[in-house]
Amino acid sequence: MLSVFSSPGHYVQGRNATEQLGAELKRLGLDGPVQIVAGGSAQRLLAEVWERSLKDAKIAYSVHSSGGECTRAEIAAIIAAVQDSGCTAVLGAGGGKVLDAARAVADDLDLPMISCPTTASSDAPCSALSVIYTAAGEVDAYQLVRRNPALVLVDTSVIVQAPPRLLAAGMGDALATWFEARTCTKAHVRNMRGGASTRSATALAELCYHTLLADGPQALAAVRERAVTPALERIVEANTLLSGLGFESSGLAAAHAIHNGLTAAPQTHPFLHGEKVAFGVLTQLVLEGAPSAEITTVLDFCTEVGLPTTLAALGLPDPAPTTLSAIAIRATAPGETIHNEPFDVDADITLDALRAADALGRRHTA
């Protein structure tokens, strides 16, 4: 099996980075016109900057208001907008689902994609993967696209305008990166691009974990004050770049499968991707029989930054046995990443791990 490392063509991060959008597009030979797919917050915060930066670069563009979801209906609506406008590139501006929808559209139309996240709430910006949801909010499918974004531009002046909960959720998503990467590497399974992991990918995944522990609480304090600080910059990089490269080029395992399982319970739908992934990390560690000290470190970190460590914290204070069974069955569906674990996993084993992880979380917060 060949080793494969996947990454965006260019990554730009920093204060007021959107001012350089036009120049960065020109430097990469992307002359437009560009279809911007944007959430409401992105338009409110960036419309004037887009006009100024793209006008200076002489790049024409149009804006399509995103519905904020990544469903097949939303993707179809964006495809129609791109085709009507005649644009030659697709730019996603917003949260993870907006970026995923824009990425799927760019892939379907064989166009370059530009990723401009307005939150650091997930590792979606850098990847070549879109998570498609049903209209009911359940995970429908993974769409593996052919190319990573040509450009990822992260404006930390915008990131700090988002609610602190979103940064914390991004840390929850990034928390899974190292634990899933080391599992996939040890199991010699294929990563998200169909190859073996590289040492570079696992090193980035481990750096992501250590950055979270070192800078997470300080970065969260900064974003509460809407302050761009070195710690905030490092956590944004960890949530976005390190986690994105680490998961894609090393692989996913139980933590993200548990997230997918949790979407089978409607009570969890108000909670963010990274919040559910954080509980998935705890469940994966229980499933793997991880050392108590490691589990305690994860519990301490999650508690400090406000990530869920119990089912109750995800809207399931007293889940019915049928609900837990549905979560376990969905998490272990054929093709799910939980089967990258280096041992056989079924719904019964997963159900026990869910219950044990919940018990540990309850004891830790008592």
Side-chain angles (χ1 to χ4, degrees):
M1 179 167 53
L2 297 175
S3 297
V4 177
F5 185 89
S6 185
S7 68
H10 203 58
Y11 183 88
V12 177
Q13 177 186 313
R15 187 191 299 266
N16 298 320
T18 310
E19 296 284 357
Q20 300 303 312
L21 175 61
E24 291 294 339
L25 292 177
K26 279 289 188 182
R27 190 153 71 88
L28 294 172
L30 301 174
D31 297 321
V34 175
Q35 178 71 67
I36 298 176
V37 180
S41 294
Q43 293 186 57
R44 175 175 54 82
L45 293 169
L46 294 172
E48 292 182 5
V49 187
W50 291 333
E51 183 175 5
R52 184 166 59 249
S53 181
L54 295 175
K55 182 178 180 180
D56 287 348
K58 296 181 173 56
I59 295 175
Y61 71 97
S62 57
V63 178
H64 174 82
S65 295
S66 167
E69 295 295 332
C70 185
T71 62
R72 298 193 186 279
E74 176 71 11
I75 291 167
I78 300 169
I79 286 175
V82 175
Q83 291 175 329
D84 288 345
S85 67
C87 288
T88 58
V90 181
L91 185 155
K97 289 182 178 180
V98 175
L99 302 185
D100 276 1
R103 181 180 5 258
V105 168
D107 186 57
D108 288 347
L109 298 177
D110 196 22
L111 298 175
M113 188 262 181
I114 302 100
S115 184
C116 296
T118 56
T119 71
S121 60
S122 77
D123 51 23
C126 292
S127 78
L129 168 72
S130 290
V131 182
I132 313 297
Y133 289 80
T134 68
E138 293 186 32
V139 172
D140 181 21
Y142 288 138
Q143 180 172 338
L144 295 171
V145 305
R146 286 165 286 183
R147 291 175 288 188
N148 292 79
L151 169 67
V152 177
L153 188 144
V154 187
D155 191 331
T156 46
S157 300
V158 174
I159 298 295
V160 296
Q161 303 302 314
R165 179 186 175 191
L166 297 180
L167 186 74
M171 288 190 267
D173 198 20
L175 182 64
T177 305
W178 165 238
F179 296 112
E180 293 186 299
R182 76 178 185 187
T183 291
C184 291
T185 300
K186 288 178 181 178
H188 301 288
V189 298
R190 295 182 185 274
N191 61 22
M192 304 306 290
R193 306 310 294 168
S197 180
T198 61
R199 295 182 66 197
S200 300
T202 52
L204 291 172
E206 188 171 16
L207 175 60
C208 179
Y209 177 59
H210 291 307
T211 302
L212 294 175
L213 298 185
D215 293 311
Q218 187 184 149
L220 194 59
V223 83
R224 288 185 179 123
E225 301 300 321
R226 296 188 174 182
V228 178
T229 66
L232 184 279
E233 292 280 7
R234 289 192 291 269
I235 286 297
V236 170
E237 181 182 346
N239 287 6
T240 307
L241 182 63
L242 298 179
S243 182
L245 298 180
F247 100 79
E248 188 163 43
S249 293
S250 288
L252 299 177
H256 274 80
I258 295 298
H259 162 277
N260 295 347
L262 287 165
T263 68
Q267 300 95 316
T268 71
H269 291 179
F271 295 88
L272 300 171
H273 173 85
E275 292 171 335
K276 286 176 274 196
V277 170
F279 185 75
V281 172
L282 181 58
T283 305
Q284 176 177 325
L285 292 176
V286 170
L287 187 72
E288 294 175 344
S292 295
E294 189 168 65
I295 293 175
T296 298
T297 297
V298 168
L299 285 167
D300 287 343
F301 173 77
C302 289
T303 300
E304 190 167 12
V305 299
L307 288 167
T309 58
T310 65
L311 290 169
L314 289 169
L316 296 168
D318 188 21
T322 53
T323 299
L324 289 179
S325 292
I327 292 169
I329 290 169
R330 176 61 186 85
T332 56
E336 260 300 346
T337 57
I338 202 167
H339 300 298
N340 285 337
E341 296 291 332
F343 47 84
D344 291 337
V345 182
D346 60 22
D348 289 339
I349 293 172
T350 302
L351 179 58
D352 285 347
L354 281 166
R355 294 170 59 227
D358 180 55
L360 287 173
R362 284 187 279 110
R363 186 173 69 182
H364 188 267
T365 55

